Coordinates of all heavy atoms in Angstrom, one line a residue:
M20 N 0.9 -1.2 0.1 CA 0.0 0.0 -0.1 C 0.9 1.2 -0.1 O 1.8 1.3 0.7 CB -0.8 0.0 1.2 CG -1.8 1.1 1.3 SD -2.9 0.9 2.8 CE -4.1 2.0 2.4
S21 N 0.6 2.2 -0.9 CA 1.5 3.3 -1.0 C 0.7 4.5 -0.3 O -0.4 4.6 -0.3 CB 1.7 3.7 -2.5 OG 0.6 3.9 -3.2
G22 N 1.5 5.6 0.2 CA 1.0 6.6 0.7 C 0.6 7.7 -0.3 O 0.5 7.4 -1.5
P23 N 0.3 9.0 0.2 CA -0.2 10.1 -0.7 C 1.1 10.4 -1.7 O 2.2 10.1 -1.4 CB -0.3 11.3 0.2 CG -0.5 10.6 1.6 CD 0.2 9.3 1.7
R24 N 0.6 10.7 -2.9 CA 1.5 11.1 -3.9 C 2.1 12.5 -3.7 O 1.6 13.3 -3.1 CB 0.9 11.0 -5.3 CG 0.4 9.6 -5.7 CD -0.2 9.5 -7.0 NE -0.8 10.9 -7.5 CZ -1.2 11.2 -8.6 NH1 -1.1 10.4 -9.6 NH2 -1.7 12.3 -8.9
V25 N 3.4 12.7 -4.3 CA 3.9 14.0 -4.3 C 3.1 14.8 -5.2 O 2.7 14.4 -6.3 CB 5.4 13.8 -4.8 CG1 6.0 15.2 -5.1 CG2 6.3 13.1 -3.9
K26 N 2.9 16.1 -4.7 CA 2.0 17.0 -5.5 C 3.1 17.9 -6.1 O 4.2 18.1 -5.7 CB 1.1 17.8 -4.5 CG 0.0 16.9 -4.0 CD -0.9 17.6 -3.0 CE -2.0 16.8 -2.5 NZ -1.7 15.4 -2.1
T27 N 2.6 18.6 -7.2 CA 3.5 19.5 -8.0 C 2.9 20.9 -7.8 O 1.8 21.2 -8.1 CB 3.5 19.2 -9.5 OG1 4.1 17.9 -9.5 CG2 4.5 20.2 -10.2
C28 N 3.7 21.9 -7.4 CA 3.3 23.3 -7.3 C 3.0 23.9 -8.6 O 3.7 23.8 -9.6 CB 4.4 24.2 -6.7 SG 4.1 26.0 -6.5
A29 N 1.8 24.5 -8.8 CA 1.3 25.0 -10.1 C 2.2 26.2 -10.5 O 2.2 26.6 -11.7 CB -0.1 25.3 -10.0
A30 N 2.8 26.9 -9.6 CA 3.5 28.0 -9.9 C 5.0 27.8 -10.3 O 5.5 28.3 -11.3 CB 3.4 29.1 -8.8
C31 N 5.7 27.0 -9.4 CA 7.1 26.8 -9.7 C 7.5 25.3 -10.2 O 8.5 25.1 -10.5 CB 7.9 27.3 -8.3 SG 7.7 26.0 -7.0
A32 N 6.4 24.5 -10.2 CA 6.6 23.2 -10.6 C 7.6 22.3 -9.7 O 7.9 21.2 -10.0 CB 7.3 23.1 -12.0
R33 N 7.8 22.9 -8.5 CA 8.6 22.0 -7.6 C 7.7 21.0 -6.9 O 6.5 21.2 -6.7 CB 9.0 22.9 -6.4 CG 9.8 22.4 -5.3 CD 10.3 23.3 -4.2 NE 9.2 23.7 -3.4 CZ 8.8 23.0 -2.3 NH1 9.4 21.8 -2.0 NH2 7.8 23.6 -1.5
G34 N 8.2 19.8 -6.7 CA 7.5 18.7 -6.0 C 7.2 19.0 -4.5 O 8.1 19.6 -3.8
I35 N 6.0 18.7 -4.1 CA 5.6 19.1 -2.7 C 5.5 17.7 -2.0 O 4.6 16.9 -2.4 CB 4.4 19.9 -2.5 CG1 4.4 21.2 -3.4 CG2 4.0 20.0 -1.1 CD1 3.1 21.9 -3.5
A36 N 6.3 17.4 -1.1 CA 6.2 16.1 -0.4 C 5.0 15.9 0.4 O 4.4 17.0 0.9 CB 7.5 15.9 0.6
P37 N 4.5 14.7 0.6 CA 3.2 14.6 1.4 C 3.3 15.1 2.8 O 2.3 15.6 3.4 CB 3.1 13.1 1.4 CG 3.7 12.5 0.2 CD 5.0 13.5 0.0
S38 N 4.5 15.3 3.3 CA 4.6 15.8 4.7 C 4.7 17.3 4.6 O 4.7 17.9 5.8 CB 5.9 15.1 5.4 OG 7.1 15.6 4.5
E39 N 4.7 18.0 3.6 CA 4.9 19.4 3.5 C 3.4 20.0 3.5 O 2.5 19.4 2.9 CB 5.6 19.9 2.3 CG 7.1 19.7 2.3 CD 7.7 20.3 1.1 OE1 7.9 21.4 0.9 OE2 8.0 19.4 0.0
V40 N 3.4 21.3 4.0 CA 2.1 22.1 3.9 C 2.0 22.5 2.4 O 2.9 22.9 1.8 CB 2.1 23.2 4.8 CG1 0.9 24.1 4.6 CG2 2.2 22.8 6.2
Y41 N 0.7 22.4 1.9 CA 0.6 23.0 0.6 C -0.8 23.8 0.5 O -1.6 23.5 1.5 CB 0.5 21.9 -0.6 CG -0.5 20.8 -0.4 CD1 -1.8 21.0 -1.0 CD2 -0.3 19.6 0.4 CE1 -2.9 20.0 -0.8 CE2 -1.4 18.8 0.5 CZ -2.6 18.9 0.0 OH -3.5 17.9 0.2
Y42 N -1.1 24.4 -0.5 CA -2.2 25.4 -0.4 C -3.0 25.1 -1.7 O -2.5 25.2 -2.9 CB -1.9 26.8 -0.3 CG -1.2 27.0 0.8 CD1 0.2 26.9 1.0 CD2 -1.9 27.4 2.2 CE1 0.9 27.1 2.1 CE2 -1.2 27.7 3.3 CZ 0.1 27.5 3.3 OH 0.8 27.7 4.6
R43 N -4.4 24.6 -1.6 CA -5.2 24.4 -2.7 C -5.8 25.7 -3.2 O -6.2 26.5 -2.4 CB -6.2 23.4 -2.2 CG -7.1 22.8 -3.3 CD -7.9 21.6 -2.8 NE -7.1 20.5 -2.2 CZ -6.5 19.6 -3.0 NH1 -6.5 19.7 -4.3 NH2 -5.8 18.6 -2.4
F44 N -5.9 25.9 -4.6 CA -6.6 27.1 -5.1 C -7.4 26.9 -6.2 O -7.4 25.9 -6.9 CB -5.4 28.2 -5.5 CG -4.8 27.7 -6.8 CD1 -5.2 28.2 -8.0 CD2 -3.5 27.0 -6.7 CE1 -4.6 27.9 -9.1 CE2 -3.1 26.6 -7.9 CZ -3.5 27.1 -9.1
T45 N -8.4 27.8 -6.4 CA -9.3 28.0 -7.6 C -9.2 29.3 -8.0 O -9.5 30.2 -7.2 CB -10.6 27.3 -7.2 OG1 -10.5 26.0 -6.9 CG2 -11.4 27.5 -8.7
L46 N -8.9 29.6 -9.2 CA -8.8 31.0 -9.7 C -9.7 31.0 -11.1 O -9.6 30.2 -11.9 CB -7.3 31.4 -10.2 CG -7.3 32.8 -10.7 CD1 -7.6 33.8 -9.7 CD2 -5.7 33.0 -11.2
I47 N -10.7 32.0 -10.9 CA -11.7 32.1 -12.0 C -11.5 33.6 -12.5 O -11.7 34.6 -11.6 CB -13.1 31.8 -11.6 CG1 -13.2 30.3 -11.1 CG2 -14.1 32.1 -12.9 CD1 -14.5 30.0 -10.6
L48 N -11.3 33.8 -13.7 CA -11.2 35.2 -14.3 C -12.3 35.3 -15.3 O -12.4 34.5 -16.3 CB -9.8 35.4 -15.0 CG -8.5 35.4 -14.1 CD1 -7.3 35.6 -15.0 CD2 -8.7 36.4 -13.1
E49 N -13.2 36.2 -15.1 CA -14.4 36.4 -16.0 C -14.4 37.8 -16.5 O -14.2 38.8 -15.8 CB -15.7 36.1 -15.2 CG -15.8 34.6 -14.8 CD -17.1 34.3 -14.1 OE1 -17.6 35.3 -13.4 OE2 -17.6 33.1 -14.2
G50 N -14.4 37.9 -17.9 CA -14.3 39.2 -18.6 C -15.7 39.9 -18.4 O -16.8 39.3 -18.5
E51 N -15.7 41.1 -18.1 CA -16.9 42.0 -18.1 C -16.6 43.2 -18.7 O -15.4 43.8 -18.9 CB -17.3 42.2 -16.5 CG -17.7 40.9 -15.9 CD -18.2 41.2 -14.5 OE1 -18.3 42.4 -14.2 OE2 -18.5 40.2 -13.7
Q52 N -17.7 43.9 -19.1 CA -17.6 45.1 -19.8 C -18.8 45.9 -19.5 O -20.0 45.4 -19.8 CB -17.5 45.0 -21.3 CG -17.0 46.3 -22.1 CD -16.6 45.9 -23.5 OE1 -16.5 44.8 -23.9 NE2 -16.5 47.0 -24.3
D53 N -18.8 47.1 -19.0 CA -19.9 47.9 -18.6 C -20.6 48.7 -19.8 O -21.8 48.8 -19.8 CB -19.6 48.9 -17.5 CG -19.2 48.2 -16.3 OD1 -19.7 47.1 -16.0 OD2 -18.4 48.8 -15.5
V54 N -19.7 49.0 -20.7 CA -20.3 49.7 -21.8 C -19.7 49.0 -23.2 O -18.5 48.7 -23.2 CB -19.9 51.2 -21.9 CG1 -20.3 52.0 -23.0 CG2 -20.3 51.9 -20.5
L55 N -20.6 49.0 -24.2 CA -20.2 48.2 -25.4 C -19.6 49.2 -26.5 O -19.5 48.7 -27.6 CB -21.4 47.5 -26.0 CG -21.5 46.0 -25.8 CD1 -22.8 45.5 -26.5 CD2 -20.4 45.4 -26.2
G56 N -19.3 50.4 -26.2 CA -18.8 51.1 -27.3 C -19.1 52.6 -27.0 O -19.6 52.9 -25.8
P57 N -18.6 53.5 -27.8 CA -18.8 54.9 -27.5 C -20.1 55.4 -27.3 O -20.3 56.5 -26.6 CB -18.0 55.5 -28.7 CG -18.1 54.5 -29.8 CD -18.0 53.1 -29.2
S58 N -21.1 54.7 -27.9 CA -22.4 55.2 -27.7 C -23.0 54.9 -26.4 O -24.2 55.2 -26.0 CB -23.2 54.7 -28.9 OG -23.3 53.2 -28.9
G59 N -22.4 54.0 -25.6 CA -22.8 53.6 -24.2 C -24.2 52.9 -24.3 O -24.4 52.1 -25.0
A60 N -25.1 53.2 -23.3 CA -26.3 52.7 -23.1 C -27.2 52.8 -24.4 O -28.2 52.0 -24.5 CB -26.9 53.0 -21.8
G61 N -27.0 53.7 -25.1 CA -27.8 54.0 -26.3 C -27.5 53.2 -27.5 O -27.7 53.7 -28.6
A62 N -26.7 52.2 -27.3 CA -26.3 51.3 -28.4 C -27.5 50.9 -29.2 O -28.6 50.4 -28.7 CB -25.4 50.2 -28.0
T63 N -27.4 50.9 -30.6 CA -28.5 50.6 -31.4 C -28.3 49.1 -31.8 O -27.2 48.6 -31.8 CB -28.6 51.5 -32.6 OG1 -27.4 51.3 -33.4 CG2 -28.8 53.0 -32.2
Q64 N -29.3 48.5 -32.6 CA -29.1 47.3 -33.1 C -28.0 47.2 -34.2 O -27.3 46.3 -34.3 CB -30.5 46.9 -33.8 CG -31.6 46.4 -32.8 CD -31.1 45.2 -32.1 OE1 -30.9 45.1 -30.9 NE2 -31.1 44.1 -32.8
D65 N -27.8 48.4 -35.0 CA -26.8 48.5 -36.0 C -25.5 48.4 -35.3 O -24.6 47.7 -35.8 CB -27.0 49.7 -36.7 CG -28.2 49.7 -37.7 OD1 -28.6 48.6 -38.0 OD2 -28.6 50.8 -38.1
D66 N -25.3 49.1 -34.0 CA -24.0 49.1 -33.3 C -23.6 47.6 -33.0 O -22.6 47.1 -33.2 CB -24.1 49.9 -32.2 CG -24.1 51.3 -32.4 OD1 -23.8 51.9 -33.6 OD2 -24.7 52.1 -31.6
L67 N -24.6 46.8 -32.5 CA -24.4 45.5 -32.0 C -24.1 44.6 -33.2 O -23.4 43.7 -33.1 CB -25.6 45.1 -31.2 CG -25.9 45.8 -29.9 CD1 -27.2 45.4 -29.2 CD2 -24.7 45.7 -28.9
A68 N -24.9 44.8 -34.2 CA -24.7 44.0 -35.5 C -23.3 44.2 -36.1 O -22.6 43.2 -36.5 CB -25.7 44.4 -36.6
T69 N -22.7 45.4 -35.9 CA -21.3 45.8 -36.4 C -20.4 45.0 -35.5 O -19.4 44.4 -36.1 CB -21.1 47.3 -36.4 OG1 -22.1 47.9 -37.3 CG2 -19.7 47.6 -36.9
I70 N -20.4 45.1 -34.3 CA -19.7 44.3 -33.3 C -19.7 42.8 -33.6 O -18.6 42.2 -33.7 CB -20.0 44.6 -31.9 CG1 -19.6 46.1 -31.4 CG2 -19.2 43.7 -30.9 CD1 -20.2 46.6 -30.2
L71 N -20.9 42.3 -33.8 CA -21.0 40.9 -34.0 C -20.3 40.6 -35.3 O -19.5 39.5 -35.4 CB -22.5 40.4 -34.1 CG -22.8 39.0 -34.3 CD1 -22.1 38.1 -33.2 CD2 -24.3 38.8 -34.2
K72 N -20.5 41.4 -36.3 CA -19.8 41.1 -37.6 C -18.2 41.0 -37.5 O -17.5 40.1 -38.0 CB -20.3 42.1 -38.7 CG -19.8 41.9 -40.1 CD -20.4 42.8 -41.1 CE -20.0 42.4 -42.5 NZ -20.7 43.2 -43.4
Q73 N -17.7 42.0 -36.8 CA -16.3 42.1 -36.5 C -15.8 40.9 -35.9 O -14.8 40.3 -36.1 CB -15.9 43.4 -35.6 CG -16.1 44.6 -36.3 CD -15.9 45.8 -35.4 OE1 -16.1 45.8 -34.2 NE2 -15.8 47.1 -36.0
L74 N -16.6 40.2 -34.8 CA -16.2 39.1 -34.2 C -16.2 37.8 -35.1 O -15.3 37.1 -35.0 CB -17.1 38.9 -33.0 CG -17.0 39.8 -31.8 CD1 -18.1 39.6 -30.8 CD2 -15.6 39.7 -31.0
E75 N -17.2 37.8 -36.0 CA -17.3 36.8 -36.9 C -16.2 36.8 -37.9 O -15.7 35.7 -38.4 CB -18.7 36.8 -37.6 CG -19.9 36.4 -36.6 CD -21.1 36.6 -37.3 OE1 -21.2 37.4 -38.4 OE2 -22.2 36.1 -36.7
Q76 N -15.8 37.9 -38.3 CA -14.7 38.1 -39.4 C -13.3 38.1 -38.8 O -12.3 38.0 -39.5 CB -15.0 39.3 -40.2 CG -16.2 39.4 -40.9 CD -16.3 40.5 -41.7 OE1 -15.8 41.7 -41.4 NE2 -17.3 40.6 -42.7
G77 N -13.1 38.0 -37.4 CA -11.9 38.0 -36.8 C -11.1 36.6 -36.9 O -11.7 35.7 -37.4
D78 N -9.9 36.8 -36.6 CA -9.0 35.5 -36.8 C -9.2 34.5 -35.6 O -8.9 33.3 -35.8 CB -7.6 36.0 -36.7 CG -7.1 36.7 -38.0 OD1 -7.9 36.5 -39.0 OD2 -6.2 37.5 -37.9
E79 N -9.8 34.9 -34.5 CA -9.9 34.0 -33.3 C -11.1 33.2 -33.5 O -12.1 33.4 -34.0 CB -10.2 34.9 -32.0 CG -8.9 35.6 -31.7 CD -9.3 37.2 -31.5 OE1 -10.2 37.6 -32.2 OE2 -8.7 37.9 -30.6
S80 N -10.9 31.9 -33.0 CA -12.0 30.9 -32.9 C -12.9 31.2 -31.9 O -12.6 31.9 -31.0 CB -11.4 29.5 -32.8 OG -10.9 29.3 -31.5
A81 N -14.0 30.6 -31.9 CA -14.9 30.7 -30.9 C -14.4 30.4 -29.4 O -14.7 31.0 -28.5 CB -16.2 30.0 -31.2
Q82 N -13.6 29.3 -29.5 CA -13.0 28.8 -28.3 C -12.0 29.9 -27.7 O -11.9 30.1 -26.5 CB -12.3 27.5 -28.5 CG -11.7 26.9 -27.2 CD -12.7 26.6 -26.1 OE1 -13.7 25.9 -26.5 NE2 -12.5 27.1 -24.9
E83 N -11.2 30.4 -28.6 CA -10.3 31.6 -28.2 C -11.0 32.8 -27.5 O -10.7 33.3 -26.6 CB -9.5 32.0 -29.3 CG -8.3 31.0 -29.8 CD -7.7 31.5 -31.0 OE1 -8.3 31.9 -32.0 OE2 -6.5 31.1 -31.2
L84 N -12.2 33.1 -28.2 CA -13.0 34.1 -27.7 C -13.6 33.8 -26.4 O -13.6 34.6 -25.4 CB -14.1 34.5 -28.7 CG -13.6 35.3 -30.0 CD1 -14.7 35.3 -30.9 CD2 -12.9 36.6 -29.8
E85 N -14.0 32.6 -26.3 CA -14.6 32.2 -24.9 C -13.5 32.1 -23.9 O -13.8 32.5 -22.7 CB -15.2 30.8 -25.1 CG -16.0 30.4 -23.9 CD -16.7 29.0 -24.0 OE1 -17.1 28.8 -25.2 OE2 -16.5 28.2 -23.0
D86 N -12.3 31.8 -24.2 CA -11.3 31.7 -23.3 C -10.9 33.1 -22.7 O -10.3 33.3 -21.6 CB -10.0 31.0 -23.9 CG -10.2 29.5 -23.9 OD1 -11.2 28.9 -23.3 OD2 -9.5 28.9 -24.7
Q87 N -11.1 34.1 -23.6 CA -10.8 35.4 -23.1 C -11.8 36.0 -22.2 O -11.5 36.9 -21.4 CB -10.9 36.4 -24.3 CG -9.6 36.1 -25.2 CD -9.7 37.2 -26.5 OE1 -10.2 38.1 -26.5 NE2 -9.0 36.6 -27.5
V88 N -13.0 35.4 -22.1 CA -14.1 35.8 -21.4 C -14.1 35.0 -20.0 O -14.4 35.5 -18.9 CB -15.5 35.7 -22.0 CG1 -16.7 36.0 -21.1 CG2 -15.5 36.6 -23.2
H89 N -13.8 33.8 -20.2 CA -13.8 32.9 -18.9 C -12.5 31.9 -18.9 O -12.4 31.2 -19.8 CB -15.2 32.1 -18.9 CG -15.2 31.2 -17.7 ND1 -15.8 31.6 -16.5 CD2 -14.7 30.1 -17.3 CE1 -15.8 30.7 -15.5 NE2 -15.0 29.6 -16.1
W90 N -11.7 32.1 -17.9 CA -10.6 31.4 -17.7 C -10.6 30.8 -16.2 O -10.8 31.6 -15.3 CB -9.3 32.2 -17.9 CG -8.0 31.5 -17.9 CD1 -7.4 30.8 -19.0 CD2 -7.1 31.5 -16.7 NE1 -6.2 30.4 -18.5 CE2 -6.1 30.7 -17.2 CE3 -7.2 32.0 -15.5 CZ2 -5.0 30.5 -16.3 CZ3 -6.1 31.6 -14.6 CH2 -5.0 30.9 -15.0
E91 N -10.4 29.5 -16.1 CA -10.4 28.9 -14.8 C -9.3 27.9 -14.6 O -9.1 27.1 -15.5 CB -11.8 28.2 -14.6 CG -12.1 27.6 -13.4 CD -13.6 27.2 -13.3 OE1 -14.5 27.7 -14.1 OE2 -13.9 26.2 -12.4
R92 N -8.7 28.0 -13.4 CA -7.7 27.0 -13.2 C -7.7 26.6 -11.6 O -8.1 27.6 -10.9 CB -6.2 27.6 -13.4 CG -5.8 27.9 -14.9 CD -5.8 26.6 -15.6 NE -5.5 26.9 -16.9 CZ -6.5 27.1 -17.9 NH1 -7.7 27.0 -17.8 NH2 -6.0 27.3 -19.2
S93 N -7.3 25.4 -11.3 CA -7.2 25.1 -9.9 C -6.0 24.2 -9.8 O -5.5 23.6 -10.8 CB -8.5 24.3 -9.4 OG -8.7 23.3 -10.2
G94 N -5.6 24.1 -8.6 CA -4.3 23.3 -8.2 C -3.8 23.5 -6.8 O -4.7 23.8 -6.0
V95 N -2.6 23.2 -6.7 CA -1.9 23.5 -5.5 C -0.6 24.3 -5.6 O -0.1 24.3 -6.7 CB -1.6 22.1 -4.7 CG1 -2.9 21.4 -4.4 CG2 -0.7 21.3 -5.5
V96 N -0.4 25.0 -4.5 CA 0.9 25.8 -4.6 C 1.7 25.5 -3.3 O 1.1 25.2 -2.3 CB 0.7 27.3 -4.7 CG1 0.3 27.6 -6.1 CG2 -0.1 27.9 -3.7
C97 N 3.0 25.6 -3.3 CA 3.8 25.5 -2.1 C 3.7 26.7 -1.3 O 3.3 27.7 -1.7 CB 5.3 25.2 -2.5 SG 6.2 26.5 -3.4
S98 N 4.3 26.6 -0.1 CA 4.4 27.8 0.9 C 5.0 29.1 0.2 O 4.4 30.2 0.4 CB 5.1 27.4 2.1 OG 4.4 26.4 2.8
A99 N 6.2 28.9 -0.4 CA 6.8 30.0 -1.0 C 5.9 30.7 -2.1 O 5.8 31.9 -2.0 CB 8.2 29.6 -1.5
C100 N 5.3 29.9 -3.0 CA 4.5 30.5 -4.0 C 3.3 31.0 -3.5 O 2.6 32.1 -4.0 CB 4.2 29.5 -5.1 SG 5.7 29.0 -6.0
R101 N 2.7 30.6 -2.3 CA 1.5 31.1 -1.7 C 1.9 32.6 -1.3 O 1.0 33.4 -1.5 CB 1.1 30.3 -0.5 CG -0.1 30.8 0.2 CD -0.2 30.3 1.6 NE -1.3 31.0 2.3 CZ -1.3 32.2 2.8 NH1 -0.1 32.9 2.9 NH2 -2.4 32.6 3.5
S102 N 2.9 32.7 -0.7 CA 3.3 34.1 -0.3 C 3.3 35.2 -1.5 O 2.9 36.2 -1.4 CB 4.7 34.1 0.4 OG 4.6 33.2 1.6
V103 N 3.9 34.7 -2.7 CA 4.0 35.5 -3.7 C 2.6 35.9 -4.3 O 2.2 36.9 -4.6 CB 4.9 34.9 -4.8 CG1 4.8 35.7 -6.2 CG2 6.3 34.7 -4.4
V104 N 1.7 34.7 -4.4 CA 0.4 34.9 -4.9 C -0.4 35.9 -4.1 O -1.1 36.8 -4.5 CB -0.3 33.6 -5.0 CG1 -1.8 33.8 -5.3 CG2 0.4 32.8 -6.1
V105 N -0.4 35.7 -2.7 CA -1.1 36.5 -1.8 C -0.6 37.9 -1.8 O -1.5 38.9 -1.9 CB -1.0 36.1 -0.4 CG1 -1.6 37.0 0.7 CG2 -1.7 34.7 -0.3
R106 N 0.7 38.1 -2.0 CA 1.3 39.5 -2.0 C 0.8 40.1 -3.4 O 0.4 41.3 -3.4 CB 2.8 39.5 -1.9 CG 3.4 40.8 -1.8 CD 4.9 40.7 -1.4 NE 5.6 40.0 -2.4 CZ 6.2 38.8 -2.2 NH1 6.2 38.3 -0.9 NH2 6.9 38.1 -3.1
T107 N 0.8 39.5 -4.4 CA 0.3 39.9 -5.7 C -1.1 40.3 -5.8 O -1.4 41.5 -6.3 CB 0.8 38.9 -6.9 OG1 2.1 38.6 -6.9 CG2 0.3 39.5 -8.2
L108 N -1.8 39.5 -5.2 CA -3.4 39.7 -5.3 C -3.8 40.7 -4.3 O -5.0 41.1 -4.3 CB -4.1 38.4 -5.3 CG -3.9 37.5 -6.5 CD1 -4.6 36.2 -6.4 CD2 -4.3 38.3 -7.7
S109 N -3.0 41.0 -3.3 CA -3.4 41.8 -2.1 C -2.8 43.2 -2.2 O -3.2 44.2 -1.5 CB -2.8 41.3 -0.7 OG -3.4 40.0 -0.4
A110 N -2.1 43.5 -3.3 CA -1.4 44.8 -3.4 C -2.6 45.9 -3.9 O -3.4 45.4 -4.6 CB -0.4 44.8 -4.7
P111 N -2.5 47.1 -3.3 CA -3.5 48.1 -3.8 C -3.4 48.3 -5.3 O -2.3 48.3 -5.9 CB -3.1 49.3 -3.0 CG -1.9 48.9 -2.1 CD -1.5 47.5 -2.4
P112 N -4.5 48.6 -5.9 CA -4.4 48.7 -7.4 C -3.6 49.8 -7.8 O -2.9 49.8 -8.9 CB -5.9 49.0 -7.8 CG -6.8 48.5 -6.5 CD -5.8 48.6 -5.3
E113 N -3.4 51.0 -7.1 CA -2.6 52.0 -7.5 C -1.1 51.6 -7.5 O -0.3 52.2 -8.3 CB -2.8 53.4 -6.7 CG -2.5 53.2 -5.2 CD -3.5 52.7 -4.5 OE1 -4.7 52.4 -5.0 OE2 -3.4 52.6 -3.2
A114 N -0.7 50.6 -6.8 CA 0.7 50.2 -6.6 C 1.0 49.2 -7.8 O 2.1 48.8 -8.0 CB 0.9 49.7 -5.3
A115 N 0.0 48.7 -8.5 CA 0.3 47.6 -9.4 C 0.9 48.2 -10.7 O 1.8 47.5 -11.3 CB -1.1 47.0 -9.9
G116 N 0.8 49.3 -11.0 CA 1.4 50.0 -12.1 C 0.9 49.4 -13.5 O -0.1 48.6 -13.6
P117 N 1.4 50.0 -14.6 CA 0.9 49.5 -15.9 C 1.3 48.0 -16.2 O 2.4 47.4 -15.7 CB 1.7 50.4 -16.9 CG 2.9 50.9 -16.2 CD 2.5 50.9 -14.7
H118 N 0.4 47.4 -16.9 CA 0.7 46.0 -17.3 C 1.2 45.8 -18.7 O 0.9 46.5 -19.5 CB -0.6 45.1 -17.2 CG -1.1 45.2 -15.9 ND1 -0.5 44.5 -14.8 CD2 -2.1 45.9 -15.3 CE1 -1.1 44.6 -13.6 NE2 -2.1 45.6 -13.9

């Protein structure tokens, strides 16, 4: 009979021994947009049809477009990577700087 398997940190790929503390995570990023264009809430059917046509004629597949709107991952991280993730996601927005 074998014991628990070694887990792999999703951030640094280091093996995490069964005797080590690890942290389970689930991260979901969902795209949102409050306004669909320069016309704001007064968008017309023509505006929406134009946007839809641009999407249909674009190079991205439907799956690529969907992945831009909804991205989800889960896994485990080691103690060192947990500290980095918490620090990154806890930073005030003004300190984040440009991306």
Side-chain angles (χ1 to χ4, degrees):
M20 180 176 196
S21 64
R24 297 183 329 167
V25 172
K26 293 173 177 45
T27 302
C28 177
C31 70
R33 182 178 71 79
I35 304 170
S38 61
E39 288 183 81
V40 173
Y41 62 92
Y42 300 86
R43 195 169 295 286
F44 73 90
T45 299
L46 178 62
I47 300 171
L48 300 177
E49 294 180 332
E51 294 186 7
Q52 188 172 353
D53 291 334
V54 178
L55 255 185
S58 57
T63 66
Q64 285 293 111
D65 290 340
D66 294 336
L67 297 175
T69 300
I70 292 170
L71 186 57
K72 188 173 184 173
Q73 289 172 344
L74 290 171
E75 289 171 345
Q76 293 176 347
D78 293 335
E79 293 125 329
S80 70
Q82 183 62 49
E83 289 171 322
L84 292 170
E85 185 176 324
D86 289 344
Q87 290 177 24
V88 174
H89 182 90
W90 184 87
E91 188 171 332
R92 293 294 181 270
S93 61
V95 298
V96 292
C97 65
S98 296
C100 290
R101 178 201 177 274
S102 298
V103 172
V104 170
V105 169
R106 187 171 55 245
T107 300
L108 295 177
S109 298
E113 65 273 1
H118 299 285

